[in-house]
Amino acid sequence: MAACDGGAVAPTDAGAVAATLCLLNEQRGAHGLSPLSESGKLDSAADDYAADMVERGFFDHVSPGGGTMLDRIKAAGWVPSGSWSAGENIAWGSGSLATPASIVDGWMHSAGHRANILTGSFTQIGIGIADGAPVAGVHGAGTYVTDFTSGGAAASASTPAPVKKRPAARCASKARVASVATLRARIALVARGAAAARRCAGAKR
């Protein structure tokens, strides 16, 4: 399997998003799964949310105003259709742990994040990377958001049957901590149809 270019670049590098996608698909390929396709709509939702967390200084799947992942991706034009699923990973890192390779490695060593990455039903992904951390006083950082979906339709498609939403699972996982580099990550719900399944066994707040 060919190595991905750009895994060690800074989060501000123009190739960081492409490197993150390559690394995620590399993990999926190693487990016999199809690659994820990048979605412009999901990219927009993920990018805006990463920037919002940095700007307003919070780190959660639910925004201070109560907006959820499903709210964000629907606002960006993604519409659930038929049998669908959606999930989200977020993380921030500084120093050497802010690179795409370090972020993906941290996710793969966390059960809930790994489950999202290796969910076979997911077909599309949006990736957002913002310059900075969602906490004050941290330099050389990057904040990452990945939104995964399957079964979505374009906003112009026929209106699907009403979908009941459940609260997002609030599962925190501290992947790694180093004296000069930090990585924090959280796992969102994985929603399937009208149900939400918690994918964070063993993680505690």
Side-chain angles (χ1 to χ4, degrees):
M1 183 181 298
C4 294
D5 293 330
V9 302
T12 53
D13 190 278
V17 168
T20 303
L21 177 60
C22 179
L23 290 162
L24 292 170
N25 279 334
E26 185 177 64
Q27 293 294 336
R28 287 174 65 88
H31 291 81
L33 301 174
S34 298
L36 298 164
S37 298
E38 193 171 5
S39 161
K41 291 182 175 65
L42 297 179
D43 276 347
S44 178
D47 198 54
D48 287 350
Y49 195 56
D52 189 32
M53 286 193 288
V54 171
E55 182 178 350
R56 294 201 281 171
F58 71 95
F59 185 62
D60 203 311
H61 294 288
V62 181
S63 72
T68 67
M69 175 214 173
L70 289 176
D71 294 329
R72 294 187 291 273
I73 64 176
K74 285 181 178 181
W78 183 87
V79 179
S81 177
S83 177
W84 61 272
S85 58
E88 180 176 75
N89 286 349
I90 63 176
W92 68 266
S94 67
S96 63
L97 296 184
T99 67
S102 290
I103 294 292
V104 172
D105 181 67
W107 280 335
M108 289 301 294
H109 284 85
S110 167
H113 299 95
R114 179 186 176 93
N116 275 348
I117 293 167
L118 300 182
T119 293
S121 63
F122 289 150
T123 58
Q124 292 191 311
I125 188 172
I127 300 171
I129 305 175
D131 183 16
V135 296
V138 179
H139 304 286
T143 298
Y144 290 64
V145 175
T146 50
D147 290 332
F148 307 86
T149 66
S150 69
S156 59
S158 60
T159 304
V163 176
K164 297 179 181 179
K165 293 185 293 184
R166 302 284 183 89
R170 302 279 192 92
C171 308
S173 172
K174 183 168 73 174
R176 285 186 287 175
V177 180
S179 59
V180 295
T182 59
L183 175 64
R184 298 289 187 274
R186 286 200 177 195
I187 312 137
L189 65 97
V190 174
R192 298 188 182 281
R198 189 165 181 164
R199 286 295 188 92
C200 332
K204 298 186 182 298
R205 289 209 61 170

